[in-house]
Amino acid sequence: MANHPTAAARSAVPPATDPSATDRPAPSGRLPLAALLALATAVFVTSLTETLPAGVLPAMSADLGVGEAAMGQSVTAYALGTALTAVPLAARTAAWRRKRLLLTSVAGFAAANTVTALSSSYALTMGARFLAGVAAGLAWALLAGYARRIAPPHLQGRAVAVAMTGVPLALSLGVPAGTFLGEAVGWRTAFTAMTLIAVALLGWIALAVPDLPGEARGGRAPVARTLKVPGVLPVLAVTFTLVLAHTVLYTYVAAYLGRIGLAGSTGLVLLVFGGASLAGIWFTGRHIDRRLRTLTLAGTILFAVAAALLAVPSGSTALVLTAAVLWGFGWGGAPTLLQTAVADAGGDDADTAQTMLVSLWNAAMAAGGLAGGLLLDALGAGALSWTVLVLLLPVVAVVAGARTHGFPARR
């Protein structure tokens, strides 16, 4: 990519008439790693808070006196909290300074996880999970843009990739560690540990992350106008469909493995998937600034090949692990690719486009959790893989067709 800002990068810089425009860090030609790793930790907290109940679900349901299906809705409550509040809250807080908004979001995670750890009421726990989702909506609408703004223009894609490493780290390390901690000393301790991480992160952000101004009053574009910007709608459509496909399979991967006689391999499969995801996001970070379209197509195709392998009713551990590698490598870079694509496409409306992507992402997760459960009960484990294949076909078609705007051949 040429060494000048994209339209989205330029839009992230406050206008010269803004008296706080001088608050933007001067590009040094290097990535601000201490700040970016703090943002990556915020992503880690966001992702692990969302997925941790999956690892301690039986203990939570027994302790709170509800069935596992009811307790599983704690993930749905989180996703709904994000999907329903991300757009209006982002609009209401658009003028806030960025560090203040990030600190508020992380404090929200600390509060929500504390209530979850102490609650003996199912209703209160679900309320805390919804609050955690609200905090996530604030964070996700902020983090990618923050990473871009504190990085030199020619390294903005790589900066987002560094920040997004928190997602595969949460899946590959956080969930297994939280599950082990929950089994060893109780699920409440696992959520208490999340609170302690969030409190430590508050100090890290205060010390290492540069502050940036918010938007001028009235500066955030309306949703209707943003949807008309060429390229935004294709990226949002790909986001919803791709995340829906992933969630249908990932949420019920343990149930899927149990149905094909590999229940004992669940931990190994998740570990392999997480490791491949880390490799995928590393590879994406190396090439995203020049190959966003190619990487998006290749990642989707790898995911489709993995789903085809899982559709084979062989019960082979080697085949499932091969599919996990392909799936993880193809999926690992997806958050970075899609957030970068929507920011590039959004141009002057990039912040609103990012917020819309966050809402659709979580709406797709909520829908995927519901759809996957219905498919598993009605049609069996094999239906999950075939559903993923059907969903990925239009993803490939839209990415291939949006070569001028959305997923351009040249950035």
Side-chain angles (χ1 to χ4, degrees), residues 98-247:
R98 300 295 91 181
K99 181 181 281 191
R100 175 192 175 193
L101 187 56
L102 180 58
L103 289 170
T104 300
S105 173
V106 175
F109 282 112
N113 283 321
T114 298
V115 172
T116 302
L118 298 176
S119 173
S120 59
S121 163
Y122 175 73
L124 180 60
T125 300
M126 296 298 282
R129 294 292 297 168
F130 186 87
L131 172 63
V134 173
L138 283 176
W140 278 116
L142 168 72
L143 286 164
Y146 213 150
R148 289 167 67 93
R149 289 176 65 179
I150 64 177
H154 65 290
L155 294 176
Q156 287 177 339
R158 191 171 298 180
V160 176
V162 172
M164 290 302 111
T165 55
V167 175
L169 282 173
L171 296 176
S172 62
L173 300 178
V175 174
T179 302
F180 174 79
L181 188 62
E183 291 174 350
V185 292
W187 67 269
R188 296 181 187 276
T189 304
F191 279 97
T192 301
M194 292 300 301
T195 295
L196 296 177
I197 293 172
V199 170
L201 178 58
L202 289 171
W204 188 357
I205 292 170
L207 291 173
V209 179
D211 196 8
L212 294 173
E215 302 170 23
R217 186 174 297 275
R220 181 169 287 265
V223 169
R225 188 183 86 187
T226 303
L227 285 173
K228 296 178 183 178
V229 175
V232 169
L233 195 56
V235 177
L236 294 178
V238 165
T239 298
F240 182 86
T241 311
L242 187 61
V243 175
L244 178 63
H246 170 75
T247 307

Side-chain angles (χ1 to χ4, degrees), residues 43-122:
V43 172
F44 176 86
V45 169
T46 302
S47 300
L48 186 52
T49 298
E50 181 169 29
T51 55
L52 183 57
V56 294
L57 199 64
M60 288 183 73
S61 64
D63 202 2
L64 296 178
V66 298
E68 290 189 15
M71 199 68 250
Q73 299 311 304
S74 61
V75 176
T76 303
Y78 181 106
L80 287 176
T82 302
L84 295 176
T85 65
V87 171
L89 278 181
R92 292 292 297 271
T93 59
W96 287 26
R97 296 191 68 83
R98 300 295 91 181
K99 181 181 281 191
R100 175 192 175 193
L101 187 56
L102 180 58
L103 289 170
T104 300
S105 173
V106 175
F109 282 112
N113 283 321
T114 298
V115 172
T116 302
L118 298 176
S119 173
S120 59
S121 163
Y122 175 73

